[in-house]
Amino acid sequence: MNSLPCLIAASLAAMALSGCSSLDLNESARSSSSSPVGSLSVLAFDYLPAKSGEVSPQNAQTKPTSWRRPANGRALDQDVGAYVRDAVTRKLSSDGIKIGNPDRKISGDIEEFSFKGTGADKTDCVLRIKYRITTNDTVAYEATKDVGRTKSGFFDPRTALDDLVDLSVHELLQDPAFREAIKSPNPTVPAT
């Protein structure tokens, strides 16, 4: 009588383990088959609202009452453009793109980085970047990626911007034209 519950428990455990291992293998296969192959260098990301004088280089665009600014009045401790450039570099590198190809360069214009209150203590965070890849001084790719998230309550603007950059680069990596533009049969990436 005691062997039946043990047999059932062992069967359930075996099914759960085999299901988990097959999910892990499928997830690994899916991510490796969809990983882009390519290389590039990351250049400047210009924060256009700061260039036009609309905001300071360290701040997001906001509606006056929609976001509680930190005591220093800035969203970030560094320029939004430099922060986005570094975050894009980290994300591309972590997704398998080789960084350092002097012949293929990515840059961008940050057209919008904003926090807009939507009521009920919710804030829409938006990032719009026009990406550009040049190869030997010729534009090989250009596209705008517009992403957003809604945050509730208080939030760290750096974390919000990191989330938005991750979403934006994810969209970029899904774009077949981008994937084609970064392909390199023999990348000339210097050793690091």
Side-chain angles (χ1 to χ4, degrees):
M1 281 202 211
N2 287 339
S3 64
L4 184 58
C6 289
L7 181 60
I8 293 172
S11 296
L12 289 174
M15 287 189 313
L17 288 175
S18 68
C20 288
S21 65
S22 67
L23 286 175
D24 289 344
L25 292 174
N26 289 338
E27 182 62 34
S28 174
R30 219 180 3 260
S31 64
S32 66
S33 67
S34 65
S35 293
V37 176
S39 61
L40 45 75
S41 290
V42 182
L43 301 181
F45 277 72
D46 292 325
Y47 186 35
L48 300 183
K51 280 190 159 194
S52 70
E54 183 181 336
V55 297
S56 75
Q58 298 87 13
N59 240 333
Q61 300 153 283
T62 62
K63 289 185 178 175
T65 60
S66 69
W67 180 60
R68 296 170 190 89
R69 293 175 190 258
N72 66 8
R74 297 185 311 231
L76 302 172
D77 291 332
Q78 72 182 100
D79 290 354
V80 171
Y83 192 92
V84 168
R85 179 201 61 224
D86 295 347
V88 166
T89 302
R90 281 190 306 272
K91 181 66 176 154
L92 288 171
S93 180
S94 74
D95 284 343
I97 306 300
K98 290 179 175 64
I99 304 298
N101 183 342
D103 298 327
R104 187 174 296 113
K105 302 169 183 105
I106 188 169
S107 60
D109 293 328
I110 303 161
E111 297 174 348
E112 181 180 3
F113 167 46
S114 64
F115 300 139
K116 296 174 184 166
T118 58
D121 207 24
K122 294 190 186 272
T123 303
D124 284 341
C125 305
V126 176
L127 179 65
R128 182 173 46 251
I129 301 174
K130 183 176 193 176
Y131 291 97
R132 187 175 307 101
I133 295 178
T134 55
T135 305
N136 300 323
D137 297 324
T138 302
V139 176
Y141 173 86
E142 192 168 71
T144 301
K145 302 300 178 188
D146 196 348
V147 297
R149 280 264 161 108
T150 299
K151 300 282 186 181
S152 297
F154 292 103
F155 60 91
D156 178 8
R158 289 170 302 191
T159 302
L161 184 53
D162 283 338
D163 289 348
L164 293 170
V165 169
D166 283 354
L167 286 171
S168 183
V169 172
H170 177 76
E171 282 192 14
L172 194 62
L173 293 171
Q174 300 306 309
D175 186 339
F178 172 80
R179 293 166 72 98
E180 187 62 32
I182 66 167
K183 265 190 199 175
S184 181
N186 297 312
T188 57
V189 178
T192 55

